[in-house]
Structure formats: structure tokens, C-alpha cells
Amino acid sequence: MNPNSELAFFCLLVKQGSLAATAREMNLTPPAVTKRLAQIEERLGVRLLNRTTRRLSLTNEGEVYFANAQRILGDIEEMESLVSGSRAVPKGLLRVNAPLGFGRSYIGPAISAFTKRYPDVEVQLQLTDRPVSLPDEAIDVAIRFGEIPDSRLIAKKIAANRRLLCASPLYLKSHGRPESPADLARHECIVLRQNESAYGMWRLSRGKQGETVKVRGKLSTNDGEVALNWALDGLGILMRAEWDVAKYLRSGRLEHLLPDYETPAADIYAVYLERLNLSAKVSFFIDHLREFLSTHADSPESRKSRW
């Protein structure tokens, strides 16, 4: 068995957390995965994993093996990027993570166009409702909104994006239109519980003046599409990303509220580990995303795109 292949197999096994999940990922049978693990342990003469019917756990020797395997695989990938990057031919496996709604609407179609353009690249797209931790997950590029706090990561902006306050004409007819941020506290607001952010705290600013309003309402959810549908049904005021509400603002099904105030930026970034900075598949993919979004992005105004 190739040593590099052994390391990659073991890291995948630990990250998947079970023999069955690893078997599905590798398109093997669970007995084949068990046999491969046993061969590694027999060759090393130590037990690396404790097995139960539900999960796997690392032994002391397994923890040492796993930590060094991750480091070695990272060094190999960095070395290959340095050697082959000058050829600028994207190929190999590219693992991408993106938020659910934006991933379905934009990243999925962008990947479809990318693989037609670069057929030597195999792409795995993972859509999640929470951002993944790149150092801990087998992800090459993650799509994130807003500021990126982790200094270990490189973040490249691929599109500008605003958060907008909006409501349906039906809601505004029944409840009136807020004239200032303070008015929001008296309205029914639809609140998204996402990304561990402060629940129901909406920040708005005009010039150098900023206000934080604690909003309330009967409805809250962790799903952006559900929240948007509630707003379309006239059930409250919503703060939502421009890409998601643009077509409804154009059609008049939603109206932009407090347009003189700004909300926290939600610019869209492609995020990756520093060791992939010279990777052709990563750099070509990010350039492709910028190009794709510049021509396919939605806008609240006809004949105009902010992206």
C-alpha cells in the first residue's frame, strides 16, 4: 500500500468517524475498509483506533499518527502546488463548502460551468447551514459572508453584497412603514438565528452614527428561505442579503425600508488555507467565481448589477 495513500485513508477515516461513512465516501464495502485499517495497524504493530458499533476513537498512538499524517499530507500538497503551479493547469479534486441557499442558487451553477471549462478538475460541493472550520475539515475553498475573523485563512472577495431591510406591501399597509431604526422595535420582525450571532440585534448606521436595535416578532428561524417566504406572506420585516431579495424588490413583492441607513456588510468571500495559495485549481476556481457572479448576479434594480 502506498504510504501517502495510507495517510489519506486514515485521515479520512478519522474525520468521517465511522467505518460505514468512510466506506460510502470511498465507494467501498465496510469490510474492505476494516481490512485496510487492519493492514495499517498490523504493519505498524500498534492499535490506532478503538472500534465500537457506533463510533471510532483514537488511541494514544492513533492521535500521534493522525496529527503527523495531516501535517505530512499538507506538506506534500504544498510541494506539489509549488512544482506544478507554474503550469497553471487546474486538475485534481477540489472540495468546496458553501451556505445552503447561496450554494444552491449560485455556487452549484458556477461549478457546473467550471467543470465544463476545466474537465480535469473533480469537484465535491458540500452545502451546510453553518460555516465549517477549514483547518479541521477536508475543505479546500469555503464561501463565507462578511468579515473573516480567522487570521490563519486567506479570504478573497468574489462579490459585493448588502443586507437590506424589506417587507411586503401587505405588511406595510397593515402596520405602517418604519421611519427610523428605533421604529423597528415596535414592528413584527422576522429574525434569523444563524452563525452564533446575537439573536435579534439589528445594527444600522448613517454616516458616523450607528444604532443597535433589539427587534422582536412572533417568528424566527435558522433557515433563510423560510424567513423570506414569511416576509413575502406579509408576516413581518426581514433583514436579508441582497442576492436573495433582489428579484422580489424589482417585482414589487417586497419594498426596501430605511434606504438611507446601512447595515453590516455581507460581502462574499472565497476562503482557503494559506498553503493552497499557489494551487492552480483553487486560484482558477476563485477567478471563475468572480467572473461568474459578475455576469449572473441579481440586483434590486432593472438593468443594473451591484456585483
Side-chain angles (χ1 to χ4, degrees):
M1 191 185 300
N2 184 292
N4 293 346
S5 177
E6 277 192 5
L7 298 178
F9 164 75
F10 187 74
C11 288
L12 177 64
L13 186 58
V14 173
K15 290 174 181 178
Q16 290 294 324
S18 75
L19 297 168
T22 304
R24 285 194 299 271
E25 182 70 18
M26 299 184 68
N27 198 25
L28 297 172
T29 63
V33 172
T34 301
K35 181 179 179 181
R36 189 167 180 180
L37 173 60
Q39 289 174 338
I40 297 174
E41 291 180 327
E42 183 179 356
R43 183 177 64 80
L44 295 174
V46 295
R47 192 175 185 84
L48 299 174
L49 289 171
N50 296 312
R51 288 86 142 171
T52 68
T53 55
R54 292 182 176 272
R55 61 187 296 272
L56 302 172
S57 63
L58 288 163
T59 64
N60 291 335
E61 292 80 4
E63 289 180 358
V64 173
Y65 191 80
F66 178 58
N68 284 278
Q70 286 187 302
R71 176 184 56 78
I72 291 167
L73 289 171
D75 289 344
I76 291 172
E77 187 167 2
E78 183 177 5
M79 175 194 66
E80 291 182 346
S81 295
L82 288 170
V83 171
S84 64
S86 60
R87 293 184 298 164
V89 178
K91 61 181 180 179
L93 176 62
L94 178 68
R95 296 154 298 191
V96 181
N97 173 268
L100 285 168
F102 189 75
R104 292 191 194 107
S105 298
Y106 288 100
I107 302 303
I111 288 173
S112 177
F114 182 74
T115 54
K116 291 175 183 176
R117 193 172 179 180
Y118 303 107
D120 291 334
V121 180
E122 176 188 350
V123 183
Q124 290 181 356
L125 174 61
Q126 177 191 71
L127 301 182
T128 54
D129 59 354
R130 290 177 179 269
V132 299
S133 174
L134 286 193
D136 302 325
E137 300 284 343
I139 296 295
D140 298 310
V141 179
I143 308 303
R144 302 271 184 87
F145 291 84
E147 296 180 3
I148 312 300
D150 195 331
S151 60
R152 296 172 295 175
L153 305 177
I154 294 177
K156 293 195 174 179
K157 184 175 173 179
I158 56 175
N161 183 51
R162 298 177 296 169
R163 293 183 176 95
L164 302 177
L165 281 174
C166 52
S168 74
L170 178 63
Y171 175 85
L172 297 173
K173 183 178 180 180
S174 300
H175 297 82
R177 181 184 295 268
E179 300 296 334
S180 70
D183 291 344
L184 293 171
R186 298 189 290 272
H187 278 268
E188 283 291 321
C189 294
I190 300 167
V191 181
L192 277 168
R193 295 173 175 263
Q194 289 182 323
N195 303 340
E196 306 299 332
S197 57
Y199 171 60
M201 304 300 293
W202 287 1
R203 296 173 180 83
L204 297 95
S205 62
R206 185 164 61 179
K208 296 182 179 180
Q209 300 260 329
E211 295 185 53
T212 299
V213 183
K214 174 65 175 176
V215 299
R216 295 175 176 83
K218 299 184 185 73
L219 300 174
S220 65
T221 178
N222 68 337
D223 187 274
E225 187 173 346
V226 170
L228 176 58
N229 287 330
W230 285 341
L232 291 169
D233 287 341
L235 299 178
I237 295 174
L238 176 68
M239 183 186 289
R240 189 66 182 147
E242 178 180 4
W243 67 266
D244 204 19
V245 298
K247 62 182 178 182
Y248 302 109
L249 293 168
R250 277 202 315 274
S251 69
R253 292 188 64 190
L254 292 175
E255 296 185 23
H256 187 191
L257 306 179
L258 301 178
D260 294 336
Y261 288 85
E262 295 182 1
T263 55
D267 292 337
I268 305 166
Y269 291 87
V271 181
Y272 57 94
L273 295 172
E274 186 175 7
R275 62 180 174 80
L276 294 176
N277 199 32
L278 296 177
S279 168
K281 64 184 179 183
V282 169
S283 60
F284 272 68
F285 181 64
I286 292 172
D287 289 343
H288 172 80
L289 284 180
R290 284 201 187 103
E291 179 184 338
F292 184 89
L293 293 176
S294 70
T295 56
H296 291 78
D298 214 343
S299 170
E301 303 172 37
S302 300
R303 301 178 183 175
K304 182 179 178 182
S305 172
R306 291 176 55 85
W307 292 6

